[in-house]
Amino acid sequence: MTLLTGCSEGDGGAPKGRSGDDGPPPAPVSANSLAAERLIPERGVYFGISTLRTPFAPEETDLVAEKAGVRPNLLEYFVKWNEEYRPQAVDAAYEQTAVPLLTWEPWASKEAGTEQPEYALARITEGRHDPYIRRFAEDIRVHGRPLILRFAHEMNSTWFPWAEGRNGNRPGEYVRAWRHVHDVFTEAGADNVVWHWSPNILRTVEEVRLRPLYPGDQYVDLVGVTGYRRHEKTAGAVLDPALNEIRRITRRPILIAETGAKPGVEKAGWIADFFRWLDRNPDVVGFVWFERDTVQGGKQDWRFAETPGTQRAFRGGLEWVELARVPDGEPIRVGDSDLGESDRERSGLGRST
């Protein structure tokens, strides 16, 4: 059984550098599924992007590759709960030699705001959406190809209807909703999913603790954050407060689900520092750059290719990054996993609470 490497909790959870050899190696963490074994790299880093039409527009991926000097090997896209699973999206990602990252949002639309009672966490846990969840899970299982599923992200925020304190939600309901959705997938046999738990960075929501929002290692394969640079001079100033809190909760590997930098004279320097930060954090197995401006759905022009200077900084930093190998995307069927029964019991796979 493959072992996934997390980080050491010494020194406040800060890991040793990727290129250094001082200090003990991080403690291993068992994989919950064959999908996690396939998609979470033991070596190298995912360079992901989200563009306006990812993954259905290979020309957008090609353009990013041209500007970055390297092809992205992970593509992120977003699906609301009034949309069905689209196998074509997952196929399109693999056809571009990239892992699919599906951000699954339990709401009807952004325009409806944070008060959407139909999607309250309690309604999810009570099973009101089970027909949809089960259909989505069964479609994923039938399709078979492994994907990363980022469910109900930025749950520590105030801007989504699945946040506790919004939409009539109460403390403790987020974890119950997550576990319920996960259990429906387990019952459907959708073992080709890598579950990604991804809060927002702590800026503006410092009072919200992350531990009460964590579903538990048996329900999570990857952790990560959304974190954009607004005024900070270093990547660590943006990402470390949240990640160090997460590292005190779990040793699951980290995938930065969304990042980018606000325009300004310090943007190029921040981008260059991001890659130095990445080298110092070996438990970070990938990142997704939100390569969009305001016309394409960004609140700012987050693109690394905003200016020639920011593009050079990004290209220069990425040049030193070893990219993870992308698996072939062959379907995973029920019974494929080499996790034995005792391994499943230890990991808690499929456990209901």
Side-chain angles (χ1 to χ4, degrees):
M1 179 177 65
T2 304
L3 294 179
L4 306 180
T5 301
C7 70
S8 171
E9 290 186 326
D11 301 324
K16 299 297 182 181
R18 197 180 297 270
S19 57
D21 58 1
D22 55 334
V29 178
S30 297
N32 280 338
S33 68
L34 186 58
E37 292 184 339
R38 284 195 189 179
L39 296 191
I40 301 178
E42 291 184 326
R43 178 172 178 171
V45 172
Y46 285 129
F47 158 38
I49 59 165
S50 176
T51 64
L52 181 61
R53 294 184 294 152
T54 305
F56 291 112
E59 65 276 13
E60 293 183 359
T61 306
D62 293 342
L63 183 59
V64 170
E66 180 182 341
K67 293 179 178 180
V70 176
R71 280 197 73 79
N73 59 357
L74 186 145
L75 299 176
E76 180 177 12
Y77 64 104
F78 296 75
V79 177
K80 301 185 293 295
W81 271 32
N82 54 7
E83 300 175 298
E84 298 296 328
Y85 173 71
R86 292 175 291 174
Q88 301 89 344
V90 172
D91 291 341
Y94 279 113
E95 287 166 6
Q96 295 169 71
T97 321
V99 168
L101 169 55
L102 191 169
T103 292
W104 200 29
E105 304 174 300
W107 63 351
S109 69
K110 177 180 179 180
E111 291 69 28
T114 61
E115 301 303 312
Q116 300 185 38
E118 177 65 20
Y119 298 98
L121 293 172
R123 293 181 69 88
I124 295 173
T125 305
E126 291 165 1
R128 303 291 184 90
H129 295 276
D130 278 8
Y132 168 73
I133 298 168
R134 187 172 293 109
R135 185 169 66 249
F136 205 92
E138 289 175 348
D139 287 347
I140 287 176
R141 174 185 59 79
V142 170
H143 190 214
R145 305 189 85 169
L147 70 151
I148 300 172
L149 186 67
R150 180 184 176 224
F151 170 61
H153 63 301
E154 300 171 30
M155 76 301 296
N156 59 326
S157 70
T158 58
W159 47 85
F160 284 130
W162 54 85
E164 293 182 354
R166 289 288 185 270
N167 202 26
N169 300 324
R170 298 179 180 179
E173 289 185 339
Y174 179 83
V175 165
R176 288 193 287 273
W178 176 292
R179 291 176 176 177
H180 178 80
V181 172
H182 186 285
D183 287 346
V184 172
F185 270 65
T186 300
E187 292 164 4
D191 200 31
N192 51 319
V193 169
V194 176
W195 291 86
H196 185 204
W197 180 79
S198 177
N200 195 68
I201 57 171
L202 303 188
R203 185 181 60 219
T204 76
V205 289
E206 291 87 352
E207 72 285 356
V208 181
R209 299 276 61 84
L210 299 180
R211 186 179 293 276
L213 298 171
Y214 186 63
D217 280 358
Q218 64 268 40
Y219 293 94
V220 174
D221 303 295
L222 274 172
V223 296
V225 292
T226 296
Y228 293 91
R229 180 262 174 187
R230 291 191 177 274
H231 54 78
E232 298 88 349
K233 294 184 178 180
T234 67
V238 175
L239 301 167
D240 284 346
L243 289 181
N244 285 335
E245 184 168 338
I246 291 171
R247 287 166 175 143
R248 289 189 285 271
I249 301 168
T250 178
R251 295 183 178 185
R252 286 298 188 211
I254 296 167
L255 173 66
I256 306 301
E258 295 178 40
T259 194
K262 181 179 178 179
V265 295
E266 296 178 332
K267 179 171 179 174
W270 191 91
I271 291 173
D273 183 71
F274 174 82
F275 288 101
R276 292 190 291 270
W277 174 89
L278 185 65
D279 185 62
R280 295 193 302 270
N281 289 269
D283 57 345
V284 178
V285 298
F287 66 93
V288 177
W289 205 272
F290 206 71
E291 193 62 6
R292 307 195 200 187
D293 59 17
T294 54
V295 176
Q296 299 162 332
K299 292 183 178 179
Q300 303 281 347
D301 189 342
W302 304 118
R303 297 174 302 159
F304 73 79
E306 182 210 351
T307 70
T310 59
Q311 181 178 332
R312 282 194 301 271
F314 190 90
R315 187 171 181 138
L318 193 58
E319 191 175 89
W320 296 96
V321 174
E322 178 184 0
L323 295 188
R325 182 187 64 83
V326 175
D328 57 18
E330 283 298 307
I332 295 174
R333 303 302 183 190
V334 174
D336 279 356
S337 177
D338 60 358
L339 293 176
E341 194 61 36
S342 61
D343 294 323
R344 288 177 176 271
E345 290 173 359
R346 282 196 299 271
S347 69
L349 186 63
R351 182 185 304 162
S352 297
T353 59

